[in-house]
Amino acid sequence: MLVSRALRSLLCVLGCAWLHTGAASRLKSPALPIQSEREPLPSKGLSGCSFGGRFYSLEDTWHPDLGEPFGVMHCVQCHCEPQKNRRGKVFGKVNCKNIKQDCPDPDCDEPILLPGHCCKTCPKDDNDKKQTVSVLDAFEYFHEKSKEKEDDLHKSYNDRSYLSSEDMGPGESRTDFVTVLTGMTDSWLPSSGGVARARFSLTRTSLAFSITYQRMSRPGKIVFLDSDGNTAFEYRVPKGQSDMICGVWKNLAKPLMRQLQSEQMRIRMTTLTNRREEVEGKIIKHRALFAETFSSTLTSKEENSGMGGIAMLTLSDTENNLHFILILQGLIKHKDKEPVLVPIRVHLVYRQHILREILANITSHDPDFAEVLTDLNSRELFWLSRGQLEIAVATEGQDPRQISGFITGRKSCDTIQSVMSSGDALTPGKTGGVGSAIFNLHDNGTLDYQVQVAGLTSDMVGLTIELKPKRRNKRSVLYDLMPEYNKATGRAVGSWSRLEARHIHMLLQNELFINVATAHSQDGELRGQIKALLYSGLEAPRHELPTPLAGHFVSPLVRTGASGHAWVSVDKNCHLHYEIVVAGLSKTDDLTVNAHLQGLAEIGEIDDTSTAHKQLLTGFYGSQAQGVLKDISHELLQHLDQGTAFIQVSTKLNPRGEIRGWVHVPNNCKLGTNGDVEEAEFDDFFVTDPEELKKDPHMCFFENQHHAHGSRWTPNYDTCFSCSCQKRTVICDPVICPTLTCSQTIQPEDKCCPICDERKESKDMKALERVEENPEGCYFEGDQKMHAPGTTWHPFVPPFGYIKCAVCTCKGSTGEVHCEKVTCPVLTCSHPVRRNPSDCCKECPEEDKTPVGLEHSDMMQADGPRHCKFGKNYYQNSDNWHPWVPLVGEMKCITCWCDHGVTKCQRKQCPMLTCSNITRREGSCCPECIEEDDLMIKSPDKRRTWRH
């Protein structure tokens, strides 16, 4: 496991040397140098601190999470301190300190150290402990990585460390907010009994929102108010029958974004019916949002009460404990300046029968409440999964007031979907097949599913929803979808009506998988994680099965581990809306794929002459790309209408397309449009506006022209070079011409390399004929040649030419081309050189025989057994050590080792414990069970809050 970015961030913040590890070997063009890059700041323009790939507001405090295997450093507390520069601009500075010395002295003889805590505490008896688990600690526990591993695949239910980091593009972060909206008593409109709940996700400069409402008509207008009460953004709600409102506020200005982050904005929702109603609430950040899987909107039975609230709930890790937090509004009326304690009762109800009761006091100025309902029995869990449990909150006294609501699975406008690829199978492969699925969860716990598969190597024998396996190749099947599979259509459509509460929880935490087993791959040929796709505001029809993208649909077929799917639609203005999701695209065996730019998404059509015309949509930096294409030709619109258009994703390894899918979008557009290409929502690649391009911090200025990051062009000074822009760095490579085998060649005026004097179509047809005539050989896309079984060659990859750092071999039995990186010899000189730009390995010049020190070794040349640098220390290949982390010291429970230049670390594996009373003794790596006789009773503090 590679050392995480967060550890490097912590080392840097504390004034220590950066932690350098040798990058994993990837095949690259020899003339493409490795460019050092800063860790992206996801919150550019905002006042705060960026730490470990996350953004923190000013005055925030947190325990640094160093990722697996280090976990959360509970004895280290970091603080985002506000600072001012010379111009008076406020910025954040991270300051971390060890808080262990501040721990209070426990007033018992044998204090214990609980898992996930820094300070020792006095033990409690079993019943008392269950009733008083700190909700804050429980949610922090979800952050902590699982320490008890059976092998490298075992993770706890709430551990999401195994999720792909490809989902977020460079410079992208996401912050979630929530609001409870109720009728305002100080409004000129009569107070409303309506209650709404709004959830927001801020990504870059776009704020997506999902709003549900009860006891009110469908709103017609939503207004965002700034700190002064002025309208910052207005959204007109489209007509519909659903109780869900979905929208996106795009291009937030930086001042408004700062107000949003500092919880200074409000949202107001108004109906446009004869009986006009209005509800309003404050937008707040909340730590519980990331773990919420169940929710409830609390309303009052009184007319025009102005009361309401929301409950955010989640199941605990492995026990049947239900954690919840209440955000209440209007339930408690207070006019006193000083806060007063108000007694409340919280009931868990089934059909008017009280199952659980909690008595507590809350303050009038902070009417939020958090608690845990422990040990839910099987009936309570069943009613929870069916949406039949109700949560009620009531005040006590002469004038009791009550609000209540049913608990259901969390609702949002996001789409639950999955892309299944052979690269993500339990035994990864390259088949060129694809699986695609979409899901819809109902309030009664029923899960509707639509699944499609294509390009399988043999008959499908299994289609299942599964857990992440605890042991390799030991699958845990939850539900069999195979009875609904139609072999003729390649689809399965049906409903899973017996979801348990735990299954709903895992589904909404992206912890379930869908697996496709075939006769040749009994454990699974395709596999995909089921996860939510953030609502984008585009008009792509996500309720319909998307277009599958696979190497199977490329001609000739591409054996790839990647796959994907795309939603495509054409609106009334003849603009094309697209959303593309891929899986397995940036695998390390795709050696020529750039570490950041993974590929290009294109749309095109096949006309009568079989010549492909393609138009760029966007570049892929993560697993998804979204946008609107306005500049569409009449021909392309016709092909979309006829179903003869395609979308494909091309990579440097497969420039003609690695995965492709046929698109059929009926439309009535008679003429093409003359718009511009709107920037992609998540993966903007080319900026067409020159003024906007100048503002891009990653653009390049070369030969008096601005070039977008990721773009490629031919320079004016020499047409036999190809240049690219990589984050303000221009890299120009000589075009290496392929060796021609034809008898006659010509030199086109606009080309750098000579070509054979033959028709390209004829050449392609002959190549394809050779594939059919000699199935034992291999056809390589780069040089468009057949290679005999067992032969080796340097691959030719346009526009770079021959890649001499790689050797490809034709496996005659399978017809697959296998390419490997050339291992360069270890050099002893201090300044090795490449004699030719196309050479793979460097050489020592005759005049330089000086031995090289570790600190001057060339990272570009590190192809033999390489050393590792960890902190300020160097380690030879195969060395192992215990890491030392600032403020913490030597971590003896973690062992690191040097593996050919890559530092890998692993925590000591601990046994699974079945006892309820667990402690971790000082100096011990693993938690232990403690005897009940040793427990001591101590009264706890029940009240906690999750609020920032």
Side-chain angles (χ1 to χ4, degrees), residues 641-667:
D641 186 52
Q642 298 166 4
T644 52
F646 65 84
I647 278 186
Q648 74 175 20
V649 177
S650 303
T651 62
K652 292 181 181 177
L653 190 63
N654 292 289
R656 289 190 168 188
E658 183 161 339
I659 54 176
R660 176 185 290 184
W662 296 102
V663 183
H664 182 203
V665 184
N667 64 84

Side-chain angles (χ1 to χ4, degrees), residues 418-569:
S418 179
V419 175
M420 292 153 270
S421 67
S422 55
D424 288 331
L426 291 178
T427 303
K430 288 187 172 184
T431 69
V434 62
S436 173
I438 55 175
F439 304 87
N440 183 33
L441 179 65
H442 297 280
D443 288 350
N444 63 2
T446 299
L447 183 69
D448 295 339
Y449 56 83
Q450 299 180 64
V451 187
Q452 59 184 341
V453 294
L456 300 179
T457 58
S458 55
D459 289 341
M460 188 165 79
V461 296
L463 180 63
T464 51
I465 295 177
E466 304 180 356
L467 303 176
K468 184 176 178 65
K470 294 185 177 181
R471 292 184 178 88
R472 190 174 299 278
N473 293 338
K474 190 175 181 62
R475 295 156 52 202
S476 299
V477 176
L478 287 182
Y479 188 72
D480 184 10
L481 287 68
M482 196 64 191
E484 305 298 332
Y485 176 68
N486 185 326
K487 185 177 180 180
T489 61
R491 296 187 175 188
V493 180
S495 296
W496 177 10
S497 59
R498 296 186 298 276
L499 263 77
E500 298 177 6
R502 176 70 60 188
H503 300 156
I504 295 174
H505 171 83
M506 300 180 72
L507 173 73
L508 297 178
Q509 286 287 11
N510 301 339
E511 292 168 0
L512 298 184
F513 297 78
I514 185 166
N515 196 78
V516 177
T518 60
H520 289 169
S521 301
Q522 295 285 335
D523 281 330
E525 180 175 316
L526 305 174
R527 190 176 180 87
Q529 182 184 1
I530 302 175
K531 50 188 175 181
L533 180 65
L534 182 66
Y535 177 72
S536 66
L538 300 179
E539 295 187 15
R542 285 191 182 179
H543 59 280
E544 300 175 2
L545 270 172
T547 297
L549 309 177
H552 173 77
F553 298 126
V554 181
S555 180
L557 182 148
V558 176
R559 298 286 185 183
T560 173
S563 61
H565 60 206
W567 286 275
V568 184
S569 64

Side-chain angles (χ1 to χ4, degrees), residues 200-232:
F200 309 86
S201 294
L202 176 64
T203 308
R204 289 191 179 177
T205 60
S206 293
L207 185 69
F209 50 89
S210 305
I211 303 176
T212 57
Y213 56 92
Q214 292 186 20
R215 297 182 63 83
M216 63 183 298
S217 304
R218 184 172 176 84
K221 184 173 66 172
I222 298 173
V223 176
F224 289 79
L225 305 172
D226 62 15
S227 56
D228 296 326
N230 300 320
T231 299

Side-chain angles (χ1 to χ4, degrees), residues 708-740:
H709 164 64
S711 60
R712 178 170 289 279
W713 68 94
T714 300
N716 297 328
Y717 71 87
D718 193 335
T719 57
C720 286
F721 273 74
S722 177
C723 296
S724 66
C725 174
Q726 299 292 331
K727 290 189 176 179
R728 302 185 68 178
T729 301
V730 176
I731 304 172
C732 293
D733 312 308
V735 176
I736 302 172
C737 299
T739 303
L740 302 179

Side-chain angles (χ1 to χ4, degrees), residues 923-943:
S924 173
C925 295
C926 297
E928 305 171 3
C929 293
I930 57 177
E931 299 296 333
E932 293 186 3
D933 295 340
D934 297 334
L935 296 175
M936 300 181 66
I937 301 175
K938 184 179 178 181
S939 61
D941 176 16
K942 290 188 177 182
R943 186 80 182 5

Side-chain angles (χ1 to χ4, degrees), residues 563-809:
S563 61
H565 60 206
W567 286 275
V568 184
S569 64
V570 175
D571 63 20
K572 60 183 180 181
N573 297 318
C574 297
H575 297 163
L576 182 83
H577 298 245
Y578 64 89
E579 298 188 64
I580 308 171
V581 183
V582 298
L585 185 63
S586 62
K587 297 298 182 184
T588 54
D589 50 1
D590 286 346
L591 298 175
T592 62
V593 175
N594 185 285
H596 295 282
L597 175 63
Q598 298 171 18
L600 303 177
E602 301 163 298
I603 188 168
E605 74 274 357
I606 303 296
D607 58 24
D608 295 337
T609 62
S610 299
T611 302
H613 298 281
K614 294 178 291 187
Q615 185 169 354
L616 179 72
L617 290 177
T618 184
F620 261 97
Y621 292 90
S623 64
Q624 50 191 80
Q626 308 175 354
V628 180
L629 185 66
K630 298 179 181 178
D631 187 14
I632 309 177
S633 67
H634 173 55
E635 292 76 16
L636 177 55
L637 288 167
Q638 280 189 324
H639 283 285
L640 285 168
D641 186 52
Q642 298 166 4
T644 52
F646 65 84
I647 278 186
Q648 74 175 20
V649 177
S650 303
T651 62
K652 292 181 181 177
L653 190 63
N654 292 289
R656 289 190 168 188
E658 183 161 339
I659 54 176
R660 176 185 290 184
W662 296 102
V663 183
H664 182 203
V665 184
N667 64 84
N668 297 318
C669 298
K670 302 300 182 183
L671 299 174
T673 60
N674 295 315
D676 297 322
V677 180
E678 183 172 301
E679 290 186 32
E681 294 294 308
F682 285 92
D683 302 295
D684 45 316
F685 187 59
F686 289 113
V687 183
T688 56
D689 186 349
E691 295 303 319
E692 289 297 319
L693 185 57
K694 293 178 183 178
K695 300 176 185 177
D696 184 0
H698 294 156
M699 70 85 185
C700 301
F701 187 70
F702 186 77
E703 292 183 333
N704 294 321
Q705 287 187 328
H706 294 87
H707 298 272
H709 164 64
S711 60
R712 178 170 289 279
W713 68 94
T714 300
N716 297 328
Y717 71 87
D718 193 335
T719 57
C720 286
F721 273 74
S722 177
C723 296
S724 66
C725 174
Q726 299 292 331
K727 290 189 176 179
R728 302 185 68 178
T729 301
V730 176
I731 304 172
C732 293
D733 312 308
V735 176
I736 302 172
C737 299
T739 303
L740 302 179
T741 57
C742 49
S743 57
Q744 294 183 346
T745 63
I746 57 175
Q747 178 65 58
E749 293 183 1
D750 58 341
K751 301 291 183 182
C752 178
C753 298
I755 60 174
C756 291
D757 190 11
E758 298 175 352
R759 288 179 59 92
K760 184 178 183 297
E761 292 81 0
S762 174
K763 181 180 178 182
D764 289 341
M765 290 301 295
K766 290 179 180 178
L768 292 175
E769 289 172 3
R770 288 197 294 271
V771 174
E772 296 174 356
E773 292 171 1
N774 187 8
E776 294 299 319
C778 304
Y779 178 75
F780 186 62
E781 278 284 349
D783 53 19
Q784 299 178 1
K785 295 179 182 178
M786 281 296 299
H787 296 266
T791 56
T792 60
W793 68 94
H794 292 302
F796 179 80
V797 181
F800 306 118
Y802 283 105
I803 307 298
K804 293 188 178 180
C805 276
V807 173
C808 294
T809 305

Side-chain angles (χ1 to χ4, degrees), residues 114-126:
L114 296 174
H117 291 248
C118 174
C119 302
K120 288 186 176 182
T121 57
C122 293
K124 309 177 180 72
D125 72 351
D126 188 51

